[in-house]
Amino acid sequence: MLKTNYHTHYSICDGKGEAEEYVVAALQKGFTALGFSSHAPVPFENPTNMNQEDLPKYLKTIQTLKSQYQGKLEIYLGLEIDHIHEHPEPQKQLIALPELDYSIGSFHCMWSPKRKEYREIDSTPEIFRAILDEDFGGNIRQFVERYYQYLAELLETLQPTILGHFDLIKKNNPDTLYFKETEPWYQQAVRDMLPYIRKYEPIVEVNTGGIARGKTKEVYPSPWILYELRKEDIPIMINTDAHTPDLLDAFMEEASYIVKDVGYRKVWNLTSKGWIAQPLD
Ligand SMILES: [Zn+2]
Ligand SMILES: [Zn+2]
């Protein structure tokens, strides 16, 4: 299996350290390819995302590293782009940037009509609780269903190369605090996503970031969802969502066992020949 990761953040958004530290770590760890996917700007103040003014600097930084490390490491320029339900247009423009090698479409930010602000569904447990209580009257089913509606809408609106952390909504559900993934309504909400995945054909990432940071016990998406995806031959890739250079390859091997376990034989990688399905092993 090739050692690669295409979901990487550094200090231009909410990651730690400089971009080049990730390149050095990737070389030390024997990577063949490294993709940067900093959080693209959103049309409001959000500490997780880079500022609009920083975008040209970001593109230039990664392009410079690309040429600097040519022949040593394949470096790819991506962006993790938020779907913003209320303001889809600026995000659509980002995804169309000609400099990008690929994009990761993710949903994090939900508008609170009460608070008149955006809050991240993967923020602290306290904020998750506040969204649930203030915006959904404590109804977790409505909250979760809204998340998956917006995720389907993301595919329709942005049509990203990669769908980011499919079931991020489970991050703040430790020990089934709010819902069980075996509940029929939850499974239905997940299954309702499948036609959108078939239609817009993103590569679904298996994201180890939650496990690596001790926030979840499973990868995104959960193995039962991966099993559903495998039944439909939906392409997947393994990403670590690294925010520090040392976690660039965190839980990658475990993720490869999980995907093999549900029957996948190949994962997708961006290479100098384009997107290629690489056999696992
Ligand atoms: Zn994300
Ligand atoms: Zn990320």
Side-chain angles (χ1 to χ4, degrees), residues 11-249:
S11 57
I12 200 153
C13 58
D14 63 341
K16 302 266 184 301
E18 293 310 309
E20 193 164 9
E21 293 175 46
Y22 290 79
V23 174
V24 171
L27 285 167
Q28 280 167 356
K29 290 171 189 291
F31 275 55
T32 54
L34 174 67
F36 285 93
S37 63
S38 298
H39 289 287
V42 284
F44 48 89
E45 263 309 298
N46 199 35
T48 306
N49 299 70
M50 74 172 78
N51 300 319
Q52 187 68 47
E53 309 84 76
D54 283 340
L55 184 61
K57 187 173 90 184
Y58 170 65
L59 301 175
K60 186 134 199 291
T61 301
I62 307 307
Q63 282 167 335
T64 307
L65 286 172
K66 256 190 199 194
S67 48
Q68 224 176 308
Y69 284 87
Q70 204 171 23
K72 295 192 189 104
L73 179 69
E74 288 175 27
I75 297 176
Y76 294 101
L77 172 52
L79 272 175
E80 182 174 9
I81 301 176
D82 283 86
H83 172 53
I84 306 296
H85 170 72
E86 295 75 14
H87 303 281
E89 277 312 314
Q91 310 314 101
K92 277 166 83 170
Q93 285 172 22
L94 287 166
I95 221 138
L97 281 173
E99 291 89 345
L100 298 186
D101 296 314
Y102 68 96
S103 57
I104 302 177
S106 295
F107 186 84
H108 312 94
C109 302
M110 209 176 256
W111 174 249
S112 170
K114 262 199 190 141
R115 293 269 189 131
K116 306 245 176 305
E117 63 180 11
Y118 281 94
R119 294 188 284 193
E120 290 170 330
I121 58 127
D122 59 328
S123 185
T124 62
E126 293 73 29
I127 290 176
F128 186 87
R129 176 96 233 179
I131 300 172
L132 172 63
D133 289 342
E134 293 167 15
D135 299 328
F136 295 94
N139 189 328
I140 188 67
R141 178 174 171 173
Q142 274 178 21
F143 184 5
V144 170
E145 286 175 349
R146 179 76 56 84
Y147 168 78
Y148 282 112
Q149 271 164 26
Y150 285 167
L151 204 62
E153 196 179 82
L154 176 158
L155 290 181
E156 206 161 34
T157 316
L158 299 180
Q159 299 180 30
T161 325
I162 301 161
L163 176 62
H165 40 61
F166 188 116
D167 55 352
L168 184 66
I169 193 75
K170 78 177 175 204
K171 180 180 173 184
N172 278 302
N173 186 43
D175 302 316
T176 64
L177 177 62
Y178 296 110
F179 60 90
K180 288 197 185 81
E181 291 187 39
T182 49
E183 288 179 70
W185 67 263
Y186 184 80
Q187 300 209 337
Q188 193 54 50
V190 166
R191 286 206 179 90
D192 287 347
M193 274 293 295
L194 298 181
Y196 291 89
I197 293 175
R198 279 196 301 267
K199 181 166 181 193
Y200 296 105
E201 302 182 315
I203 297 171
V204 176
E205 71 166 2
V206 178
N207 180 313
T208 65
I211 299 189
R213 295 194 286 277
K215 303 290 185 193
T216 58
K217 289 191 177 126
E218 300 276 17
V219 292
Y220 305 112
S222 293
W224 74 268
I225 301 176
L226 281 168
Y227 181 71
E228 294 297 316
L229 297 173
R230 207 272 300 154
K231 281 198 289 191
E232 306 216 17
D233 261 326
I234 287 161
I236 57 161
M237 68 191 302
I238 295 172
N239 281 329
T240 56
D241 205 347
H243 286 68
T244 52
D246 59 310
L247 293 180
L248 213 45
D249 58 351

